[in-house]
Amino acid sequence: MAMKDLFEGSQVTLKGKVKRGRSRTIKFHVNFSDEIDGKNQLEIEKSGSAIFDTTISQKYELPDVPDGREYYLMTWGAEAEGIKGIKWSPDVIQVWPRTMTLEAVDDQGAKVEGFPFRFRQGMELVEARATDAEGMSSFDLTDPGPVRQIIPIAPWETIGNPTQDGRKWEATVRKKPYTATFYSPNIANDWKDDDGQLKQYVNLSGADANLGNIIRFKICPKAENGTKDQDLGMKGDSLYIQFIPDDGNCERDTPRPTLQTPGSIAKEGNTFKSKVEVPDDGELVEFALDLGLAGGDKFELKIGVTESCEDESIKIITWRKLFYKAMVPEFIKDDIGAEDLPAATTNYINGEKALKSAFVEFSLKQWINFAKVDCGADYVFKAAFFKRAGRDLYILPPGGLNPPPKPFGASDERTVDIQLCDIGISWTNEGYETIRPRISALDGANAYTFDTITNKRKYCLPKALAIARKQTAPGTYTVTAAKGSDGVDKSAGTWTALPPNNQPNHPGRENDGKAKSGNLDDWTIEVSDFRTVKITPPVAVQNLIGASSNTKCPVKIKIKFLTCHGHLGTSGGGRQVLVYDKSGPETMASTLCHELGHSMGMTIVPAGNMSPPGLEQPKHVDDKTKGPYYVNGLPLFSGGKRGLHVGPHCAWGIPEKDWKHKTFNGKPGKCIMFGAGGNNAEDKEKKYCDICVTYLKARNLKDIRTSFRSGARDPKEA
Ligand SMILES: [Zn+2]
Ligand SMILES: [Zn+2]
């Protein structure tokens, strides 16, 4: 006996043989395991031929499997007329329905359209299909045999097992409810601030999702049990997204924060709304946010399976991060103790008054020590030359040494290279300044001493620092007549006696009665430190100098000295000089923040740095509606120009009535972007004023090395 599986409607060929003799009728006997059309068996007659050993065939179409039966068995045999006995075929045919139906209903018995399922025959999983408007699906089997399983496709499931009644299946089904959830990025906990907001560093780039102004999201369904299950999403399912920039965000408009989705986007007030569809069964929905480049902007992102987007939300706040590399000679590093700026300095820098207010973080990238021998011979001075005690001093001109004592390595647009020193100097634009001291007394060494700081608030330093440096402390260099090489220029200098008017024969007069005068060729002029100019007249003039009397009189000289400022720091093109002074950690901090402020394009004055795009030009001290910004230059009192501090600065904190002051010298500027500092107690209280904060927050800080002046870096929209 052999079992054969066949579909209903298949044709089987019944065969009988006439072995000999005349033509006979063959009678086929067909037996069914179940009643078919009321019968369990039937007979089919077929005439055969009389030819010897002829096979008689009869095609027979297998009847349909009766309702309520999974299959039936069929056997058959042949009986020749007049010959006793039936010859039975060894085959047992198992007959299966070719077409089945599935009816899907919900738990109330209502028909369910669109219930998706596959079914399994043997090991084979057959292509998915879904029920029609009548809740029905009719499907052909590919092989005759039993259907093992009806498998719902997520998010659908069956309630209980589907039941089979012959060729009819019935399933009670429901669509699993799901909510929308964020599938990626996987936001790390340490990317969030104390309020649970994602800190997005919009000026950086990198693999981590919290770097950059664009965040790409993927969202998917979340099952009732709380697991992310993208299989729940089916092609065409709707998900909703809302992107809500905060009302208080800055006005920067390039790039303007936006939502980018594959769906259409509507804007209601500040809120971007989009409806998106699951692109295919089990696929994720992708979209992106552009947060713009400003700092301190807040956003909320909400997603949901309904328009109100109530499933999940993320809060985001934008930050920027900048870095510094510090290069320090070892003898200064020994003073610092650690390989970073003092904690009091970095705390202030990253604190509320300073960078935190502008949503900027500033952190050490690299600390580079170098040996004293690499300082460059011209830049190490005995302390006594600067009237100090202790170790040698490292001084730096504006911008520091270029090239620096050691390489800073590859430059990065978000990193400033800081050279630390003990004293920062810069020569004033005016160069040599004429002074006219009146000498009416000499000291015990027959010399007169002129202090450039007491009298002029300026250092006296030759540009060829070696001239000053080569003297051993307390050193003195003697000024030669050659103009330009020394800190003092006596080449065009003169002296003039000032005899009393009523004494025509005074030794301070020539024979013709004119006051005596001459050049300074015979005068010895020495500079013993950065501020002290020692002037020794020739003996004849020494004898004349004194308070006015019959024999003595004062002498006036005219001489020039090269004016130089001491400063706390300078910046430009990504390079900074910073004076290290451990007694003034907050001064160091506010200086660094001040210079960093310049690197961030502050302040903003006409013909200077451009406003960030989308923001109005701020007001300067000469505007009708006044603002605190000013810049050095001429003519004074126009366009915010004043007579001190190189570069654009901020006079916030100085009473407005004093904004007409020519220089703001000695005025109490309270903004970090004020042009002067150096008193640690005052510097500690300085902050970026609200106006500076507004503009700092709006700045594009992807690059702080290129100038903001031309506007090429942070252009206004045309
Ligand atoms: Zn400045
Ligand atoms: Zn300010």
Side-chain angles (χ1 to χ4, degrees), residues 462-481:
K463 284 203 171 171
L465 286 173
I467 292 170
R469 189 200 58 81
K470 69 187 175 189
Q471 312 299 329
T472 54
T476 303
Y477 69 91
T478 303
V479 173
T480 64

Side-chain angles (χ1 to χ4, degrees), residues 609 704-714:
N609 294 321
I704 56 165
R705 287 183 171 244
T706 311
S707 171
F708 286 87
R709 278 182 75 85
S710 66
R713 271 270 292 101
D714 208 358

Side-chain angles (χ1 to χ4, degrees), residues 634-667:
L634 296 169
L636 297 177
F637 307 116
S638 75
K641 295 200 186 82
R642 292 295 182 272
L644 96 167
H645 305 151
V646 180
H649 290 105
C650 175
W652 178 81
I654 298 174
E656 215 179 298
K657 64 182 172 53
D658 289 342
W659 285 3
K660 268 293 175 196
H661 197 271
K662 193 173 124 188
T663 66
F664 300 134
N665 242 339
K667 301 290 179 192

Side-chain angles (χ1 to χ4, degrees), residues 629 650 652 671 673 689 692:
Y629 289 167
C650 175
W652 178 81
C671 179
M673 293 315 296
C689 74
C692 285

